[in-house]
Amino acid sequence: MASLTPLAFAALGLLAEAPMHPYEMFQTMLQRREDQNVKVRPGTLYHQIGRLVDLGYAEALGTAREGNRPERTTYAITDQGRAALQDGLRRMIAEPADEYPEFQLAVSHVDNLNAADAVTALRARADALGVEREVYDEAATGLQAKRLADRYWLDVSYVRAMLAAQIEWLTATADRIERGDVPWDGPAVPPNSADPHHDKERSR
């Protein structure tokens, strides 16, 4: 099976629901907040759909014009495309992928901060993720109001659950550090807050 970009894979998933033209696909992605899963722009989306056609995973059904709008070509998934989509889904869901998130790297070296700075940074991240979770809560409420079937926005509920778990861990870890439950050997004073008299003594 040919390797597909995340955007091409997302486009293939939409075509599996129903034939669509690229602009309709773009609007549907925004409505479902799939732009949080893949970087999507109209020009790039058109290019990826063209690649799906070249691979035999999609086919053009026809071109139509509505009013003064530009002509739009509607595409449909092929049997070969549906097989590629299903194979890819089985693999991506069942097999954990190697990912290298920046936050995990930072946590592995957080002892280079003093305890107070570590607590402040952890709480700041928890607050930021709390705001992000509110956005997803609003999105979920909107999707429910539109009576969109749950299977189309399982990713939204997944992200909400992951955000809740992260916030819980961040808050609990900050609390543990603050209470002294986590032994901390990091620098007692941040380098930019060093005693100026000490710097003078070193410069002599």
Side-chain angles (χ1 to χ4, degrees):
M1 184 184 75
S3 177
L4 297 178
T5 66
L7 180 57
F9 198 85
L12 200 57
L14 287 178
L15 291 180
E17 295 178 25
M20 299 184 189
H21 53 73
Y23 182 75
E24 181 182 4
M25 296 167 70
F26 176 71
Q27 292 297 319
T28 301
M29 286 183 176
L30 295 184
Q31 176 187 358
R32 297 183 184 176
R33 297 190 61 77
E34 287 199 27
D35 56 319
Q36 301 297 309
N37 300 328
V38 294
K39 187 174 183 180
V40 54
R41 293 177 179 172
T44 309
L45 180 58
Y46 276 87
H47 175 75
Q48 292 301 318
I49 293 171
R51 183 163 184 267
L52 291 175
V53 172
D54 292 340
L55 290 170
Y57 293 167
E59 61 183 355
L61 295 183
T63 302
R65 183 193 300 273
E66 295 180 8
N68 295 325
R69 295 178 179 177
E71 288 187 344
R72 290 175 175 168
T73 301
T74 297
Y75 296 87
I77 192 170
T78 63
D79 290 341
Q80 186 179 353
R82 196 175 298 277
L85 174 65
Q86 293 173 351
D87 287 345
L89 284 172
R90 280 190 286 265
R91 175 183 56 79
M92 287 190 290
I93 292 175
E95 302 174 8
D98 290 330
E99 298 173 351
Y100 305 97
E102 181 182 82
F103 176 67
Q104 189 169 322
L105 172 64
V107 169
S108 71
H109 295 283
V110 71
D111 58 304
N112 287 287
L113 296 176
N114 64 66
D117 280 352
V119 168
T120 298
L122 290 168
R123 294 200 189 285
R125 185 181 184 89
D127 290 342
L129 293 182
V131 173
E132 189 174 342
R133 183 174 59 179
E134 290 177 1
V135 172
Y136 273 91
D137 287 342
E138 292 176 3
T141 301
L143 292 170
Q144 288 173 331
K146 294 178 180 178
R147 300 185 182 280
L148 186 66
D150 288 358
R151 66 181 182 275
Y152 292 130
W153 54 283
L154 285 174
D155 59 315
V156 174
S157 63
Y158 170 78
V159 172
R160 290 169 68 199
M162 293 302 100
L163 288 171
Q166 290 182 65
I167 293 168
E168 180 181 357
W169 184 89
L170 290 163
T171 302
T173 302
D175 290 343
R176 291 176 62 212
I177 295 172
E178 207 163 42
R179 288 194 306 264
D181 294 346
V182 180
W184 207 262
D185 297 324
V189 180
N192 59 356
S193 302
D195 184 350
H197 297 293
H198 179 69
D199 289 343
K200 290 180 180 179
E201 289 296 328
R202 291 183 59 187
S203 63
R204 289 179 182 176

